Amino acid sequence: GGGMGVSSQTGKSRPVTGVIFRDGSDVNQDRTTGAVLAEILTGTKADPKLVLASFTSPFYKLERGSVFDVECRDARTGDGVFMAVTTSVNGKSLADLPDSILLERLFDATGRFSFYGSPTDIKVKKRRINSTNNKVELELQFSNLSQSTNSEIPRKAILVATLPEGTDNAVLLVGSAQATRWKTAEPRIRSAIESFQAIPAPKSNLKLRAKDRTNGMYDFF
């Protein structure tokens, strides 16, 4: 079908979402509430920052497996949400970030939405800045090539970005669904987007190392 069916893509490399896990941590989803918490590293190898990123998604199940970072979805429809981390924002404030830096993890050649070839007709429909809780929200639409039918499938998406204090990488939660399913999917995606938080972890003496998820080859970091 036209869903974002990653599981059938064995042998394909994982999309680059920018998410790097702290060594020794695991992503889990609370079965009752749907709450998801991830300990992610941003910054550089020399100066890593630990960020606690969380959201609640009772409608979508946390995906396991090598091609997923932090992603909850409905495997049948392909509706769902995933986390991403931007490249360095070079000291810019959240309000000054161009859309392009927020979108590269989605639409770059290695991006999550480029799994079947480059998305087309990418349009940012709305951009909202919520300065009280340090978030930027974008509403998007684009099309993806469906492998099974070789046709363009329109999708809609909402992206929320926040810049945890003292860090230089924005952390994102992105929800999307096929345009034909948007009416049903939008309330579920919005509730996850609204619950999203990414905050600096409390200072500790923990040695911050990136989790090795490549069988001996480390993620670039």
Side-chain angles (χ1 to χ4, degrees):
M4 312 283 286
V6 177
S7 48
S8 58
Q9 298 289 308
T10 45
K12 267 217 159 181
S13 57
R14 186 167 74 239
V16 178
T17 63
V19 170
I20 307 278
F21 297 120
R22 178 181 72 76
D23 193 23
S25 71
D26 273 310
V27 183
N28 288 305
Q29 183 175 36
D30 184 295
R31 286 210 175 117
T32 319
T33 63
V36 175
L37 175 70
E39 296 182 45
I40 57 180
L41 296 182
T42 70
T44 61
K45 207 166 194 165
D47 183 21
K49 304 273 193 276
L50 181 58
V51 170
L52 304 178
S54 62
F55 62 92
T56 303
S57 177
F59 304 103
Y60 302 127
K61 192 167 154 290
L62 182 68
E63 290 282 10
R64 304 283 181 190
S66 61
V67 294
F68 297 103
D69 291 321
V70 184
E71 179 157 348
C72 295
R73 62 187 200 121
D74 178 330
R76 192 179 53 80
T77 61
D79 304 352
V81 294
F82 69 90
M83 227 181 256
V85 177
T86 66
T87 50
S88 168
V89 301
N90 295 318
K92 281 193 175 73
S93 74
L94 196 60
D96 291 336
L97 287 187
D99 291 349
S100 57
I101 194 165
L102 297 174
L103 298 181
E104 62 187 354
R105 296 299 194 196
L106 285 60
F107 299 119
D108 268 16
T110 54
R112 176 65 186 90
F113 290 137
S114 302
F115 216 70
Y116 305 124
S118 295
T120 57
D121 301 328
I122 300 164
K123 291 185 185 74
V124 176
K125 305 298 280 181
K126 221 185 250 179
R127 178 184 172 113
R128 258 203 309 277
I129 295 176
N130 185 335
S131 44
T132 45
N133 64 4
N134 182 32
K135 284 181 180 171
V136 170
E137 196 179 285
L138 302 184
E139 292 185 22
L140 317 164
Q141 64 183 44
F142 61 98
S143 292
N144 249 122
L145 192 63
S146 159
Q147 276 195 318
S148 48
T149 60
N150 216 17
S151 57
E152 296 278 334
I153 310 271
R155 283 185 86 80
K156 291 192 173 193
I158 306 172
L159 171 159
V160 63
T162 187
L163 193 55
E165 204 176 329
T167 70
D168 203 42
N169 302 77
V171 185
L172 325 176
L173 188 68
V174 184
S176 78
Q178 281 187 34
T180 51
R181 291 189 38 75
W182 189 246
K183 224 184 190 109
T184 318
E186 186 183 15
R188 299 176 168 191
I189 286 171
R190 271 197 192 281
S191 73
I193 291 285
E194 279 159 17
S195 71
F196 176 64
Q197 279 191 309
I199 54 171
K203 291 274 184 286
S204 80
N205 296 326
L206 218 56
K207 177 103 178 76
L208 298 180
R209 274 193 299 263
K211 188 170 189 170
D212 177 11
R213 300 174 63 217
T214 51
N215 304 326
M217 291 164 57
Y218 277 80
D219 282 6
F220 61 90
F221 174 59

